[in-house]
Amino acid sequence: MATAPLSAKSLTVRMGETWLFAVRQGAPVDARKVTPTTAPAPGQFKVSLQPLFGSTMTIANNSRFDYAYRATLILPTGKPGVAKSCAVPANGRIAIEQWTKAVAAVRLDRFKPAPAGALCP
């Protein structure tokens, strides 16, 4: 279940979706929708958004470096909401973000390497 690659400077993940992407110059690139069981290849990230306990996003980073990024909530009204995001650890590990409110989507951008072990910069 793949779609055409995304070329924008941010990636919008809608509720129920799972995406694979890479990061170049701080932006998600080569993004494509995948099934939740798809594993990220070396250098790729995988992100999923599910309606668990409000809204839960999991993001796996299969690169060699920890990454910090900006997450913007897209509320059911279509308006943006503020979200604090923690760094995603390297080497295939997963970060989990959870918000008690329902969201329609999460927009991801401004990726940058983070110091190893810097969970919430």
Side-chain angles (χ1 to χ4, degrees), residues 29-55:
V29 296
D30 303 327
R32 61 187 176 97
K33 226 187 280 190
V34 296
T35 63
T37 57
T38 303
Q44 287 187 322
F45 292 74
K46 177 175 129 178
V47 61
S48 296
L49 183 62
Q50 299 299 322
L52 302 170
F53 308 109
S55 301

Side-chain angles (χ1 to χ4, degrees):
M1 170 183 171
T3 61
L6 183 74
S7 61
K9 292 185 179 184
S10 66
L11 173 62
T12 300
V13 181
R14 300 195 188 293
M15 186 58 71
E17 292 182 342
T18 300
W19 289 78
L20 284 181
F21 63 96
V23 170
R24 260 193 306 277
Q25 298 179 349
V29 296
D30 303 327
R32 61 187 176 97
K33 226 187 280 190
V34 296
T35 63
T37 57
T38 303
Q44 287 187 322
F45 292 74
K46 177 175 129 178
V47 61
S48 296
L49 183 62
Q50 299 299 322
L52 302 170
F53 308 109
S55 301
T56 301
M57 181 182 77
T58 57
I59 183 166
N61 171 8
N62 203 16
S63 78
R64 297 181 306 144
F65 306 101
D66 293 8
Y67 271 88
Y69 63 97
R70 180 177 70 170
T72 304
L73 303 179
I74 307 301
L75 303 175
T77 61
K79 294 183 179 182
V82 177
K84 180 169 175 49
S85 59
C86 294
V88 184
N91 301 314
R93 293 180 290 166
I94 297 173
I96 299 172
E97 302 287 350
Q98 193 272 327
W99 304 281
T100 56
K101 58 183 144 198
V103 302
V106 177
R107 186 171 48 241
L108 307 174
D109 60 8
R110 296 187 186 175
F111 283 81
K112 60 184 177 182
L119 296 180
C120 293

